[in-house]
Amino acid sequence: MNILFVTHSFPPPDRPLDNVGGMQRVAFELDAALRRQVARGDASFSYETRALVSSWRWVHVKVVPFLFGTWRLLARQIRRRDVDVVVFSSMVTAALAVPLSGLLRKHGVATAAIVHGQDVTKPVRAWQGLVSRVFEAVDVVMPVSGATGEACVERGLPPEKVAVVHNGVDLDRFNAVLDRLAARGTRISADRARLNESSAESTDASPLLLCSVGRQVKRKGFAWFIRNVMPALPPHVHYWLGGDGPEHDDIQAAIRETGLEARVRLLGRLDEDELIDLYRCSDLFIMPNIPVPGDMEGFGIVMLEAGLSGLPTVAARLEGIREVITPGENGYFVESGDAAGFADRISALDADRSALADLSERTVGHVRSTFGWDAVAGNYLAVLSRVSNH
């Protein structure tokens, strides 16, 4: 089976955080996992990548010429039968299956599209028209969660074309970072140390540090959490957020309105060392998502990254998040919008730090055994092998 992977989501190799997000992480780490399998001598498939390598800032400029060049390349490879299966990393690149559909069918080349959530649900009429045409053109759609799969079926995808493959996490991704952090921490660990010292001097309860990481958009629920949950938590509970985005001003307004400047910190964009340092310095990861029409949470890779660092999640039971958390193993659910439920769950874990430590240990084991990329890549290969044999 000859596989060609087409993605517009690769960051520059020397600047990995210049193009980062759930979609980008899936493309980059799936590619790495498939290359590892080839390197280990797996002869069941050959593998090639066609990727747009760019910072996020320039993707929108470069993507059109990239797609045009890829269309020409694919047409040549299809005619020569150099490829058996074309895998598109998102609905953006899967759009190529529409103009190539006749050629693909003529030469018996299968197509598969990975879909993440917003790339399907984006509420723009022209885009939804394209989504329908892509669904007709490809042979299989691989949503990253059942919730994303349901959104596809709602938009006309035949259920028999759905093959859910959950996201994964690179189990070795943090090793080099942890080695660096062992020698020298970042501003995050320095600030956590000062937080602990100030608490000890004032004989207050030991601080409980909550954190969230992600693009600051409305569906993430960060401003909602600050306004509705943080005021109900005791003064020794702090909340630090990594990332930026269009909701930044509203989040700042929520901090001012609640008078929580001393307990809620906006860390801005984090480099890799700072991100991992935040995970290892925090006590709980918070995923307080709220429903926003047309903007769903397809999966939530950050919960896996946090979990790999021993950080359990308290999450809204919503959309693709439902498939990441196994209650009691790597975190707990609260109904979306239930401020009292979030406060009660966090307070219970705060009150029993021994139980929280046990949950942290279970979280690492659960993520490693369930969501490692090598296992997830095997799930992708099983779907692709079935499609290529049709």
Side-chain angles (χ1 to χ4, degrees):
M1 176 172 59
N2 300 318
I3 299 173
L4 175 65
F5 184 49
V6 180
T7 176
H8 75 299
S9 303
F10 273 15
D14 58 334
R15 303 191 311 278
L17 294 181
D18 279 5
N19 189 359
V20 66
M23 185 184 302
Q24 291 81 4
R25 186 71 69 189
V26 169
F28 193 71
E29 294 188 352
L30 173 59
D31 174 74
L34 292 173
R35 289 185 181 280
R36 282 196 299 271
Q37 294 215 191
V38 172
R40 290 172 185 151
D42 188 337
S44 65
F45 71 101
S46 64
Y47 182 72
E48 181 183 352
T49 307
R50 167 73 174 175
L52 171 60
V53 179
S54 173
S55 66
W56 176 252
R57 184 177 186 180
W58 294 104
V59 164
H60 304 292
V61 175
K62 296 180 178 180
V63 69
V64 172
F66 168 77
L67 291 174
F68 180 73
T70 302
W71 170 72
R72 296 178 63 185
L73 171 70
L74 281 174
R76 289 196 300 270
Q77 290 187 302
I78 292 166
R79 290 189 182 99
R80 295 198 302 253
R81 284 304 309 266
D82 291 341
V83 59
D84 297 313
V85 187
V86 182
V87 182
F88 299 106
S89 71
S90 72
M91 291 297 285
V92 174
T93 50
L96 290 169
V98 176
L100 290 167
S101 59
L103 198 61
L104 289 161
R105 292 192 177 96
K106 178 180 178 181
H107 293 276
V109 176
T111 51
I114 302 171
V115 295
H116 304 267
Q118 191 181 9
D119 56 338
V120 168
T121 62
K122 187 175 181 179
V124 176
R125 180 177 295 181
W127 181 257
Q128 288 300 312
L130 177 61
V131 165
S132 297
R133 296 181 67 192
V134 171
F135 285 167
E136 292 176 4
V138 298
D139 295 295
V140 66
V141 169
M142 298 182 290
V144 298
S145 67
T148 303
E150 291 167 7
C152 292
V153 172
E154 289 171 1
R155 286 157 178 80
L157 180 69
E160 60 271 19
K161 281 192 175 185
V162 176
V164 175
V165 182
H166 290 142
N167 282 334
V169 63
D170 180 358
L171 300 181
D172 299 320
R173 176 185 164 204
F174 301 153
N175 291 350
V177 175
L178 291 172
D179 289 342
R180 291 195 297 271
L181 292 177
R184 183 182 65 183
T186 72
R187 61 181 172 122
I188 308 297
S189 49
D191 289 349
R192 175 68 202 244
R194 282 191 286 269
L195 183 63
N196 291 343
E197 289 168 5
S198 64
S199 172
E201 291 169 359
S202 63
T203 67
D204 288 339
S206 177
L208 184 81
L209 180 56
L210 317 176
C211 79
S212 293
V213 173
R215 182 163 165 75
Q216 292 174 353
V217 293
K218 187 173 182 180
R219 80 165 189 273
K220 295 292 186 180
F222 299 148
W224 173 87
F225 184 83
I226 293 166
R227 287 190 173 101
N228 296 281
V229 180
M230 283 299 298
L233 294 171
H236 65 271
V237 179
H238 295 253
Y239 184 39
W240 293 359
L241 291 88
D244 58 17
E247 288 289 299
H248 179 80
D249 290 347
D250 190 40
I251 293 170
Q252 284 189 317
I255 296 171
R256 290 193 301 270
E257 291 165 14
T258 52
L260 291 171
E261 290 88 347
R263 292 171 53 203
V264 179
R265 288 190 56 194
L266 303 185
L267 303 173
R269 292 193 66 183
L270 306 175
D271 63 28
E272 187 86 341
D273 287 14
E274 290 171 331
L275 174 65
I276 308 313
D277 213 13
L278 177 62
Y279 288 152
R280 72 172 191 158
C281 289
S282 300
D283 300 299
L284 277 172
F285 192 79
I286 304 299
M287 201 78 174
N289 285 52
I290 57 177
V292 174
D295 189 11
M296 70 178 293
E297 191 74 52
F299 188 74
I301 292 175
V302 286
M303 291 181 284
L304 300 184
E305 295 177 344
L308 191 60
S309 304
L311 197 57
T313 297
V314 176
R317 193 194 308 270
L318 186 69
E319 300 164 346
I321 299 171
R322 296 173 298 178
E323 295 165 58
V324 182
I325 302 299
T326 299
E329 292 298 318
N330 61 329
Y332 291 98
F333 285 121
V334 177
E335 297 305 318
S336 178
D338 182 359
F342 268 99
D344 289 347
R345 176 59 71 182
I346 293 166
S347 296
L349 292 167
D350 176 38
D352 192 344
R353 298 295 179 95
S354 177
L356 178 56
D358 290 343
L359 178 61
S360 176
E361 186 173 338
R362 289 196 302 276
T363 294
V364 176
H366 181 77
V367 171
R368 295 188 71 88
S369 63
T370 308
F371 294 106
W373 258 116
D374 287 348
V376 173
N379 296 336
Y380 274 107
L381 288 172
V383 174
L384 299 178
S385 177
R386 186 172 70 246
V387 173
S388 68
N389 290 330
H390 280 180

